[in-house]
Amino acid sequence: MASDNKTQTETWNSGLGAVLAVAGSAVGFGNFLRFPGLAAQYGGGAFMIAYFTAFLLLGIPLCWVEWTIGRRGGVRGGHSCASAFMLISHSHVWKYLGVLGVMAPLCIGMYYLYLEGWTLGYAWHTAVGDLNLENGEQFGSFFGDFVGAGGDGSAYDLSRSSMALFFGAALLVNFYLLYRGVTKGIEWFCKWSMPVLLTTAVIVMVRVLTLDTPDPAYPERNVNEGLGYMWNTSKTILVVEDKTVQMIPASATAEQKAELITRTQKVYPAAEVKEVHISLLQGLLNPDLWLTAAGQIFYSLSIGFGTVLAYASYVAKRKDIALCSLTANAANEVVEVGIAGMMIVPASVALLGVAAAAGASTFGLGFTVLPQVFANMPMGQLFGTLFFGLLGLAAIASSMSIVQPSIAFMEEFWNLSRTQSVVIVGVFVFVGAGIVSWFTGDGLIALSTLDFWAGNLLLYVISALYLILFRFVWGTENGLRELGRGAQMPLPRGLGFGINWITPAILILIFGSWLYKNIFVETCAEIQNLMELKVGAVLPLAWLAFVTLFMCFVVHTSRRFHRTDKTAENEQPERIPFS
């Protein structure tokens, strides 16, 4: 590990450390909660085809672009979006545009730490038996009390919620590890936590896949049908008031199907139960399915968060970043699809039925449906504790990566020590997270506001900036040369064409559709809350604006990154084996 006084010019101790850190930054709520929820909501098979298509055409190219920009900036002394953009473009304008790539992950970190407190709290309450409840209403009530959904400030009422204690613990753990630095903190944590996380996840998955048919009274509720619901490309479902409530097993006889319809009609006596067959073509013709699948890729691979760029900037000049990126992406997909998807959707279907799996939101699936699943599972208290514990480990790895770009930004632009940078960034995060955890009324209004503007809108904008910088400013040919530096295998043919045309076209389509849906089709709640000047929506964005202005002030007053000379832009890379 090299060090240069206060600037802390660091590199990873090993290629494995970089891969585990990037994989750790991506593995989190998006893998274990958002992906299974979307797969269940869109009926599995067709969604999986759209998801993997987006992964190949959008995810992998964007990750390679971000890794390349990050490593290029890093070898020239820049470890944040602002400095990397400046060093590549030789333009002061891009330096200020890069502030967006520093501010967005910091903003996400403000509410991610709040969510991290949820996972730690649920692990504890599951372990001590507080979640051995009887029905969905009780689980929903516990969740509402714990997160403070009853009204602003209620999360800090210790007579009803312990969230504040676990939120404080999450803050302390994260900033202690960040204070220790890239190697002694982030790399050290990821090197042991990722193997522990994977081992724990596999243990829980194996337990889920051996459930068979938990309740003989509901023969359609079994693991095989859960797997079928997720992976089958065509299926026959029962719908009540436009909501999926059951799936007819593919092997069901006419008598079994009639019995299932009759039983479902008794549950919904005042409504009509419709039998609907959904083919693969019907699923693939649903535009929302494609947009949602592509949007999930951003969460799955941490695209646009600025974390991959920051981590890539610490990779040595002759390391194989193309392989590092693919390895990190592959590890993420194994966790998301091969473990989380195979664990959560089958468990929900087997123990609670298709209606519970298909109708749950991200938070609903994670903190109301899954606790019910574990409560109905043999030895569920143990496996529930393991699950929320591993989710907590994943959240810590992700939240550290989200905050790291801001710390690197303060270190390099104001030449601060690690301690000074952590303190300044810690104050920003503490205040922002305090706002999020206080304004929990109106459907967690502060959290949803920041997630909408920073966790959605800014991710599209930052990803577009990456592509514009890579193609039009730096030049795709120069970028691909940097990506190929030290590569063990040749880059795919047509990669340049894909980055120049296919990936931008998909990004524009997704972003345009997202804007159209949330503004023109129906004004979403987040925009409506701002129009009504609700404090819980205005205050988080006001804090976000203040932090952005402060970062611009840091850039303006910095004595570094003011040179605009172009040097060695066309030098040929050395081909040295990865080690």
Side-chain angles (χ1 to χ4, degrees):
M1 175 66 59
S3 178
D4 180 19
N5 297 327
K6 290 186 178 182
T7 59
Q8 298 287 328
T9 303
E10 300 178 279
T11 58
W12 300 105
N13 278 337
S14 65
L16 177 63
V19 169
L20 289 176
V22 173
S25 74
V27 172
F29 292 109
N31 301 92
F32 286 99
L33 300 182
R34 196 173 190 271
F35 170 78
L38 293 177
Q41 180 183 345
Y42 285 94
F47 177 83
M48 299 306 298
I49 292 175
Y51 173 83
F52 283 118
T53 301
F55 174 71
L56 293 173
L57 299 180
L58 184 70
I60 290 178
L62 277 174
C63 282
W64 268 339
V65 166
E66 190 166 355
W67 272 84
T68 306
I69 293 174
R71 206 262 296 274
R72 183 63 168 181
V75 298
R76 293 185 167 192
H79 299 287
S80 68
C81 275
S83 57
F85 282 12
M86 166 65 184
L87 291 168
I88 291 174
S89 68
H90 311 287
S91 166
H92 294 295
V93 173
W94 278 94
K95 184 168 56 174
Y96 286 96
L97 289 174
V99 168
L100 293 176
V102 179
M103 179 270 295
L106 180 63
C107 179
I108 294 171
M110 293 175 188
Y111 64 83
Y112 208 95
L113 283 166
Y114 173 52
L115 299 178
E116 192 176 311
W118 295 8
T119 65
L120 299 179
Y122 262 64
W124 168 260
H125 287 296
T126 303
V128 300
D130 292 340
L131 284 169
N132 292 333
L133 306 175
E134 295 181 358
N135 54 55
E137 184 177 346
Q138 291 180 351
F139 283 100
S141 177
F142 181 92
F143 173 70
D145 288 341
F146 182 77
V147 303
D152 295 342
S154 59
Y156 290 92
D157 181 357
L158 295 180
S159 65
R160 300 182 62 185
S161 172
S162 60
M163 190 284 300
L165 302 177
F166 295 102
F167 172 50
L171 283 171
L172 290 175
V173 170
N174 275 272
F175 281 97
Y176 170 72
L177 291 171
L178 286 166
Y179 162 75
R180 287 175 57 87
V182 172
T183 303
K184 294 181 180 179
I186 298 173
E187 184 174 0
W188 170 82
F189 179 80
C190 291
K191 274 189 172 180
W192 71 261
S193 67
M194 289 302 293
V196 169
L197 184 153
L198 291 174
T199 302
T200 306
V202 169
I203 291 173
V204 177
M205 182 185 69
V206 170
R207 180 65 191 96
V208 166
L209 295 179
T210 56
L211 283 173
D212 197 20
T213 306
D215 189 349
Y218 298 94
E220 73 280 359
R221 295 184 182 179
N222 59 69
V223 171
N224 286 337
E225 293 305 318
L227 292 172
Y229 184 76
M230 179 173 174
W231 289 102
N232 287 350
T233 55
S234 61
K235 54 182 67 69
T236 302
I237 59 175
L238 299 181
V239 177
V240 174
E241 298 177 349
D242 296 327
K243 294 182 179 180
T244 301
V245 296
Q246 288 286 5
M247 182 181 74
I248 299 177
S251 59
T253 63
E255 292 78 10
Q256 291 172 330
K257 182 170 75 170
E259 179 189 356
L260 180 59
I261 294 175
T262 301
R263 191 151 27 91
T264 305
Q265 188 67 71
K266 290 180 180 179
V267 177
Y268 304 94
E272 179 186 2
V273 178
K274 298 180 181 179
E275 180 181 341
V276 178
H277 179 76
I278 301 176
S279 66
L280 173 61
L281 182 60
Q282 286 175 304
L284 293 178
L285 290 177
N286 180 1
D288 281 344
L289 178 143
W290 285 92
L291 294 173
T292 303
Q296 173 61 21
I297 292 297
F298 284 86
Y299 290 91
S300 297
L301 304 179
S302 293
I303 296 172
F305 282 64
T307 56
V308 173
L309 184 150
Y311 280 2
S313 72
Y314 296 100
V315 176
K317 183 177 181 179
R318 297 182 179 89
K319 296 293 185 181
D320 186 350
I321 57 173
L323 182 60
C324 282
S325 177
L326 285 178
T327 305
N329 292 346
N332 179 78
E333 292 308 300
V334 167
V335 172
E336 179 161 294
V337 180
I339 296 179
M342 298 285 282
M343 171 172 57
I344 294 173
V345 176
S348 300
V349 171
L351 290 161
L352 299 177
V354 169
S361 64
T362 297
F363 292 149
L365 178 66
F367 298 99
T368 58
V369 173
L370 284 179
Q372 291 181 69
V373 168
F374 292 121
N376 288 279
M377 179 189 299
M379 298 182 66
Q381 189 169 336
L382 170 63
F383 289 104
T385 303
L386 289 175
F387 173 79
F388 286 111
L390 77 88
L391 193 57
L393 287 177
I396 291 173
S398 294
S399 57
M400 283 194 305
S401 70
I402 289 171
V403 177
Q404 169 59 28
S406 302
I407 295 174
F409 171 82
M410 295 304 303
E411 286 180 315
E412 61 189 9
F413 274 90
W414 268 3
N415 199 31
L416 299 179
S417 68
R418 184 78 182 180
T419 303
Q420 293 169 325
S421 300
V422 169
V423 169
I424 293 175
V425 173
V427 170
F428 288 147
V429 173
F430 180 78
V431 174
I435 293 172
V436 170
S437 58
W438 183 267
F439 292 98
T440 52
D442 290 327
L444 304 175
I445 184 172
L447 188 155
S448 63
T449 297
L450 287 183
D451 185 54
F452 179 84
W453 296 102
N456 286 280
L457 176 64
L458 280 181
L459 296 188
Y460 293 128
V461 173
I462 295 166
S463 297
L465 289 176
Y466 287 155
L467 288 173
I468 293 170
L469 178 70
F470 192 89
R471 179 184 180 184
F472 295 106
V473 180
W474 189 10
T476 303
E477 185 177 347
N478 290 325
L480 293 181
R481 278 206 298 266
E482 179 65 35
L483 178 62
R485 186 188 299 273
Q488 296 185 70
M489 58 183 183
L491 299 176
R493 287 188 175 184
L495 177 60
F497 177 82
I499 291 175
N500 285 344
W501 299 102
I502 297 176
T503 301
I506 296 174
L507 186 62
I508 291 171
L509 177 63
I510 297 171
F511 186 40
S513 301
W514 183 83
L515 288 175
Y516 178 74
K517 179 180 179 181
N518 286 285
I519 297 176
F520 298 106
V521 174
E522 180 180 358
T523 303
C524 63
E526 289 77 15
I527 296 177
Q528 192 66 39
N529 290 335
L530 275 182
M531 294 172 63
E532 296 174 5
L533 297 179
K534 292 185 177 180
V535 178
V538 174
L539 191 58
L541 292 184
W543 183 245
L544 180 63
F546 172 79
V547 174
T548 303
L549 289 174
F550 177 83
M551 290 181 174
C552 290
F553 174 75
V554 170
V555 170
H556 180 71
T557 57
S558 173
R559 295 181 179 180
R560 301 191 67 204
F561 307 112
H562 281 299
R563 297 177 60 190
T564 58
D565 57 310
K566 300 184 179 182
T567 58
E569 198 62 40
N570 296 314
E571 65 175 327
Q572 295 296 320
E574 299 175 67
R575 299 282 179 170
I576 298 178
F578 180 86
S579 60

